[in-house]
Amino acid sequence: MHRIPLALGVATALATTAFSGAALAQWQPDRPINIIVPWSAGGSTDQVTRVVAPLLEEALGTEIVVVNQPGASGSIGTKAALDAERDGYTWTANAIANNATYAVTGLIEDTSIDDYVVYLHVANVPVVSINVDSPYQTMGELLDAMAMDTVTVGTAGVNSSGGMALAAIREAYDGELNARMVTYDGGNPAVIAAASGEVIATTQLAVEQTEMIRAGRLRGLAVLSDQPLIVEGIDPIPPITEYLPDMPIAADYFGVFIPAGAPAEVYETVDRVWEEVIMNSPELQAYASDRGAVFAPSFGQEAMDAAMPVVIAEACARVTRGEAVVDPSEIGIECTEM
């Protein structure tokens, strides 16, 4: 699948009609579309969805309403989207690994990634940050502290990107870490808790932390990547592999998901909008660059191929940690090593 250059995409739209309303749409929505964000306002999923929603709104010629419905590690809002009528007017948004693995942990029964048509927009990376008044200057010092005493870590829950990041750090560390996770209704409250000193650290995503790091309220110690995180206005954050060299890394893709079963014209229209608008969006590119995300829009089989490494990694990690109540193979995910 090739990307259409921005200038060509805009010129094509203008050649047929003004770039507004239903200029790109084949399906003509006759009422607002709800996108359920199953996390609180201000977190990573909410942020990027509110960048994408106006682009979809203009292209589809209808209002896009972003509805925050947090709770139970994102499963409450996600189930609400699955339970809604499959008419194309109720979507959801999340990290794709969450939607693909809710059944593994028993949060939503009888679901898998096959329940959705997938539209990805960015890949995110977790960052380990601490309150600036904490004495630790490096990730190595924080790991030493975790090995000796309890360190409180704010996340959006066990199934959030921050919760999974903390679990991955525990697994990669050669020894026991005394990190006590304190959970919040979303990434933004978890980050605020670290910035205010309510907890010592957070492992939430970079996009949720960059403003607090820029403001000097958090100190970024490591990014869960094999490359440093470089964002304008912030000192480069070293990769976690400097401290845990054998830690596996998989890109954490986020997107918008339309439950399967709607009329085919819904997906055909959104496919076209995704290719011609989202995949060339300067607004989305600017958001990614400013917040430390990777601009990586895709849809269809390309999106599934990009996302499967993190889906497999997180589903199979649940088995390793004893958190799985359903074998991933029951939802089409094979774990070669357990």
Side-chain angles (χ1 to χ4, degrees), residues 30-231:
D30 58 10
R31 59 186 186 276
I33 295 168
N34 290 330
I35 302 180
I36 297 177
V37 171
W39 307 96
S40 63
S44 54
T45 305
D46 184 69
Q47 286 179 20
V48 69
T49 302
R50 292 181 187 277
V51 175
V52 171
L55 306 174
L56 296 170
E57 191 170 74
E58 184 173 17
L60 292 171
T62 195
E63 183 182 4
I64 305 289
V65 181
V66 178
V67 181
N68 294 94
Q69 193 171 350
S73 292
S75 64
I76 291 176
T78 302
K79 190 173 187 306
L82 288 172
D83 289 344
E85 186 175 353
R86 303 293 178 92
D87 55 7
Y89 288 92
T90 303
W91 307 359
T92 187
N94 213 334
I96 192 170
N98 288 334
N99 294 66
T101 60
Y102 279 130
V104 175
T105 52
L107 287 171
I108 303 177
E109 295 182 357
D110 300 323
T111 186
S112 75
I113 197 59
D114 292 335
D115 287 335
Y116 308 93
V117 176
V118 172
Y119 299 89
L120 302 180
H121 39 54
V122 298
N124 281 313
V125 287
V127 170
V128 182
S129 294
I130 58 171
N131 180 277
V132 290
D133 293 329
S134 299
Y136 318 115
Q137 299 297 316
T138 68
M139 186 66 194
E141 291 181 8
L142 181 63
L143 289 170
D144 289 344
M146 287 180 172
M148 297 177 63
D149 199 359
T150 300
V151 174
T152 52
V153 181
T155 80
V158 172
N159 291 297
S160 70
S161 297
M164 293 298 291
L166 179 57
I169 291 168
R170 280 194 176 114
E171 284 187 3
Y173 184 74
D174 185 18
E176 184 176 348
L177 293 179
N178 296 311
R180 180 169 65 85
M181 184 164 61
V182 181
T183 62
Y184 298 85
D185 276 340
N188 190 50
V191 169
I192 290 173
S196 67
E198 187 174 308
V199 294
I200 294 172
T202 184
T203 49
Q204 287 298 131
L205 296 168
V207 294
E208 296 164 322
Q209 298 192 47
T210 47
E211 290 304 314
M212 288 294 184
I213 296 173
R214 281 195 185 103
R217 298 184 62 187
L218 289 176
R219 181 185 305 130
L221 299 184
V223 57
L224 270 67
S225 172
D226 56 3
Q227 300 293 323
L229 179 65
I230 300 175
V231 181

Side-chain angles (χ1 to χ4, degrees), residues 311-334:
V311 168
I312 293 169
E314 294 206 9
C316 298
R318 303 295 193 186
V319 178
T320 303
R321 296 168 193 153
E323 299 169 356
V325 299
V326 171
D327 191 305
S329 65
E330 295 185 23
I331 58 171
I333 299 172
E334 298 297 332

